Amino acid sequence: MTTTAREPSALIDAAVGVMQDLAIHPLALEIDDDGVRILAAMRGHALRTRSRGPYSQDNLPPEALDMAAWIDLRFSVRAEPVELTIEGGGPWPRLLMQLPARRVVVRYVVPEDAPPGYQPEPNEVTLVGDLRLALGYLASSLRRVGARLGGEPAVTLTLSYPDDPNYERNVTGIPEEFRRLIPPVVSNVRVDRSRFSRKQRAAHDEALRESAYSDQPLEPWERHGFTTRIGSARVQVSGS
């Protein structure tokens, strides 16, 4: 069975691919029928020169220009179209990147313009590495359902970063200078299955168990749902 670009597993794979290609730690992530939307902080090299709006065609933000040049360089060896739009209508610069073939949109913002919450230190990879594993796990489970039922059911994924209830246990015995390397939050992926039929939900329940790693327990969550941890990432799958 061929997975099309419109099926949920293909969109999840596209999100993971873009995160890898551009070394993105997503501040926010949404995946649904409309595609993939990622919010990310601009990279450190783009923030060496800082600016404030309002901007104009004759006064474009250097942060966004630097990010655009870096993205162009990353994609210069590919035949994949990339669309870049500088958004300068507010006090802070933004850069909108669209990859139509993958149905992925990335909006880059400066740290001051990011939503409240956890932001990792530069080059911190623990959270995003586990997040990619969690997303890959979900994509695998949906492909299994598609193979059994002749198509994947519509699903919505959202990402948040709540406090990790296991943080104090995780840092016990760790020297103070290394504690900053252990994130105090969880990459929480919420999976909305409200549009699943009963048959689709049963097939996905089975696929989640089959796709799990050998040491990855699935625990009951809400009504007929599951929750599981993959390192610093947590997956919460709704029951209905």
Side-chain angles (χ1 to χ4, degrees):
M1 176 180 171
T2 301
T3 301
T4 70
R6 291 193 171 274
E7 290 183 316
S9 65
L11 291 175
I12 295 172
D13 289 341
V16 171
V18 169
M19 288 161 58
Q20 291 177 320
D21 292 345
L22 296 174
I24 286 175
H25 170 93
L27 303 177
L29 170 67
E30 297 178 335
I31 303 175
D32 56 24
D33 295 348
D34 294 328
V36 178
R37 296 173 298 282
I38 299 173
L39 183 70
M42 294 186 189
R43 295 178 64 80
H45 60 76
L47 301 174
R48 292 174 188 150
T49 302
R50 303 308 309 275
S51 66
R52 287 290 301 266
Y55 301 99
S56 66
Q57 191 63 38
D58 298 324
N59 178 36
L60 295 175
E63 301 96 331
L65 289 171
D66 193 296
M67 279 301 307
W70 183 78
I71 292 170
D72 279 336
L73 182 63
R74 300 279 288 194
F75 281 85
S76 61
V77 296
R78 303 181 180 209
E80 180 178 6
V82 55
E83 301 172 6
L84 297 170
T85 303
I86 294 176
E87 299 178 328
W92 300 107
R94 295 183 174 188
L95 179 69
L96 183 69
M97 184 194 78
Q98 301 182 70
L99 296 171
R102 299 197 222 184
R103 302 181 62 218
V104 175
V105 173
V106 180
R107 176 169 275 109
Y108 282 100
V109 299
V110 296
E112 297 90 337
D113 198 24
Y118 177 76
Q119 287 194 48
E121 295 184 17
N123 302 319
E124 193 279 317
V125 297
T126 302
L127 278 174
V128 73
D130 291 343
L131 174 59
R132 289 199 301 260
L133 289 175
L135 292 171
Y137 162 66
L138 288 171
S140 174
S141 71
L142 290 166
R143 278 191 291 271
R144 288 176 184 267
V145 175
R148 288 170 184 164
L149 302 183
E152 297 178 14
V155 67
T156 299
L157 272 64
T158 54
L159 172 67
S160 62
Y161 292 101
D163 292 340
D164 187 351
N166 298 331
Y167 177 72
E168 292 301 327
R169 184 178 67 192
N170 293 341
V171 299
T172 299
I174 303 295
E176 188 66 34
E177 63 267 27
F178 297 117
R179 288 192 176 194
R180 64 180 181 81
L181 301 176
I182 300 176
V185 298
V186 174
S187 301
N188 193 79
V189 181
R190 176 73 180 259
V191 184
D192 181 353
R193 301 192 301 181
S194 59
R195 289 177 288 173
F196 280 34
S197 68
R198 185 173 299 179
K199 181 178 179 180
Q200 289 170 333
R201 190 181 68 214
H204 191 225
D205 288 350
E206 184 177 356
L208 286 168
R209 297 186 186 96
E210 293 173 348
S211 299
Y213 299 99
S214 58
D215 58 347
Q216 180 193 336
L218 272 70
E219 300 175 355
W221 182 71
E222 292 190 343
R223 186 171 178 267
H224 305 305
F226 293 97
T227 184
T228 187
R229 285 281 296 253
I230 301 176
S232 60
R234 181 174 65 196
V235 177
Q236 294 179 327
V237 183
S238 70
S240 59

